[in-house]
């Protein structure tokens, strides 16, 4: 199948027979039910595949409820011939059937309904925070263009924001533009606070709340990072080895080896870019000497000793790892990415430990 906003292009094959086209159908529930009946009339066991895309997982859930073996595949991992220059929905649907039969497709993780809802809330929060960052940058650029500078630290603290509220331009048009920039920032701040409060209320009732709590025992992993990472990763038990999580995050080195020679390049940067960004940001905190700061001690309250000990092991190893890489002449950015790769392994381990220990769902400070 090849779904889009208004139609679904369908192709099928029976056993090892030729691939045939069923044409296009609509996306309404009635037309999908009619398609399911047609497919069930052709075989007792039906496997269905379609590309992951902007239409989400609704079709997958409908097909699963009807008893079909449904798979959502990763578009970037579908085999393609180098010289292929003609692309149509009908050809792509037939190609999916052949690739499924050959076992050449890679399935993407389909979150549960509750997990997807929580992820939507977390992504809305992340999007508003990005809007806030861009709004602040626009105001800084506006002030720089007119030679207006703040004498203190422009860190958007209380004194900085007070100065902005009291500053005014002589020209009425410039003053209006300035006020609109400043009001946009204030609106985004209110929106961020509203969404963060909703997240803190919702996460307590989420099934991965123990993982969010446990990950905050680690250095560099605060509430923002923990919620963002877990909402994007979902069920970490689907990764049987930490290397699988590292590969999913795109922090493993690319490789081109042949003729007995092994050549490794930059990281692959595949998978979830937002989760990778959070991971690398957390890894920067391991540049400094290992220590348990007061804010980390506060996050340790109520957590099992096994998780706290594992977080300390991670800090000792990763801080040492960064210093060794820099001492060997590695660039700081390269060293941090290497630390981030190992940090992903500790996240995998602590998350599994948290679920095994069955941490309480409430009563913890986040």
């Amino acid at each position: 199948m090849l779904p889009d906003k208004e139609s679904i292009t369908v192709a099928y094959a029976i056993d090892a027979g030729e691939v045939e086209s069923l044409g296009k159908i609509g996306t309404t529930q009635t037309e999908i039910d009619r398609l399911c009946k047609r497919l069930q009339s052709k075989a007792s066991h039906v496997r269905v595949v379609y590309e992951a895309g902007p239409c989400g997982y609704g079709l997958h859930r409908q097909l699963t409820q009807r008893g079909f073996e449904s798979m959502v595949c990763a578009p970037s991992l579908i085999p393609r011939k180098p010289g292929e220059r003609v692309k149509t929905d009908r050809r792509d649907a037939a190609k999916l059937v052949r690739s499924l039969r050959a076992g050449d497709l890679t399935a993407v993780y389909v979150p549960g309904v509750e997990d997807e809802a929580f992820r939507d809330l977390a992504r809305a929060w992340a999007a508003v925070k990005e809007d806030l960052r861009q709004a602040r940058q626009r105001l800084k650029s506006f002030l720089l263009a007119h030679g207006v500078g703040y004498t203190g630290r422009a860190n958007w603290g209380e004194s900085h924001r007070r100065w902005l509220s009291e500053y005014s331009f002589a020209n009425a048009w410039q003053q209006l533009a300035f006020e609109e920039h400043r009001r946009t920032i204030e609106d985004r701040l209110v929106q961020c606070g509203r969404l963060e409060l909703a997240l803190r209320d919702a996460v307590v009732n989420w099934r991965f709340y123990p993982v969010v709590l446990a990950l905050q025992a680690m250095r560099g992993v605060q509430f923002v990072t923990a919620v963002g990472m877990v909402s994007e990763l979902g069920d970490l038990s689907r990764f049987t080895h930490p290397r699988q999580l590292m590969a999913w995050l795109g922090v493993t080195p690319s490789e081109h080896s042949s003729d007995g020679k092994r050549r490794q390049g930059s990281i692959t940067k595949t998978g979830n870019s937002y989760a990778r960004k959070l991971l690398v940001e957390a890894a920067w905190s391991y540049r400094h000497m290992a220590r348990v700061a007061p804010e980390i001690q506060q996050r340790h309250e109520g957590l099992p000793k096994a998780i706290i000990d594992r977080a300390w092991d991670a800090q000792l190893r990763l801080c040492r790892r960064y210093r060794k890489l820099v001492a060997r002449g590695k660039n700081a950015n390269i060293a941090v990415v290497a630390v981030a790769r190992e940090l992903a392994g500790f996240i995998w381990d602590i998350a599994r430990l948290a679920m095994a220990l069955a941490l309480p769902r409430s009563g913890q400070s986040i």
Side-chain angles (χ1 to χ4, degrees), residues 214 217 292 297 299-314 350 353:
V292 180
Q297 287 182 345
R299 300 201 299 264
H300 284 177
E301 293 179 5
L303 292 178
K305 186 176 184 299
I307 290 177
I308 297 173
D309 290 345
R310 196 67 180 127
W312 177 243
D313 291 341
I350 290 177
L353 185 60

Side-chain angles (χ1 to χ4, degrees), residues 1-5 8 27 32 49-64 70-73 75 108-113 116 119-120 123:
M1 291 186 179
L2 204 69
D4 57 32
K5 183 173 65 174
I8 301 174
T27 57
I32 292 174
V49 62
Y50 70 89
E51 292 183 18
C55 297
Y57 305 113
L59 179 59
H60 168 80
R61 294 186 179 115
Q62 291 178 39
L63 294 171
T64 303
S70 177
M71 171 185 177
V72 185
C73 68
V108 302
Y109 171 67
V110 178
V113 175
E116 187 178 17
R119 187 182 66 181
D120 290 340
R123 284 182 175 179

Side-chain angles (χ1 to χ4, degrees), residues 219-220 246 250-252 267 275-288 317-327 329-345 347:
R219 185 176 188 169
M246 297 172 192
V251 291
T252 53
I267 60 173
R276 182 170 60 253
K277 172 192 170 189
L278 292 175
L279 181 71
V280 174
E281 286 178 351
W284 276 104
S285 65
Y286 294 93
R287 294 172 296 160
H288 312 291
R317 176 178 173 83
L318 297 179
C319 290
R320 185 171 58 248
R321 173 74 167 156
Y322 178 84
R323 291 196 305 272
K324 282 186 176 180
L325 290 172
V326 172
K330 293 290 185 182
N331 179 274
N333 292 327
I334 295 176
V336 166
V337 171
V339 169
R341 182 162 52 250
E342 293 198 22
L343 178 59
I347 287 174

Side-chain angles (χ1 to χ4, degrees), residues 125-192:
W125 184 36
V128 172
K129 287 192 296 179
E130 178 61 21
D131 291 343
L132 174 61
R133 186 194 65 80
Q134 292 179 2
R136 285 172 168 174
Q137 185 59 46
R138 284 194 297 268
L139 179 56
K140 279 188 173 182
S141 300
F142 178 81
L143 294 175
L144 180 64
H146 294 88
V148 179
Y150 179 60
T151 54
R153 287 190 61 188
N155 58 357
W156 305 101
E158 185 178 346
S159 59
H160 183 208
R161 291 170 62 189
R162 188 186 311 114
W163 174 82
L164 286 172
S165 65
E166 295 173 353
Y167 188 85
S168 62
F169 285 84
N171 186 285
W173 295 343
Q174 288 178 339
Q175 179 63 23
L176 179 59
F178 171 67
E179 288 296 334
E180 288 298 329
H181 282 305
R182 195 176 61 82
R183 288 191 58 178
T184 299
I185 293 173
E186 296 299 327
D187 290 344
R188 296 291 83 76
L189 281 170
V190 172
Q191 197 174 7
C192 274

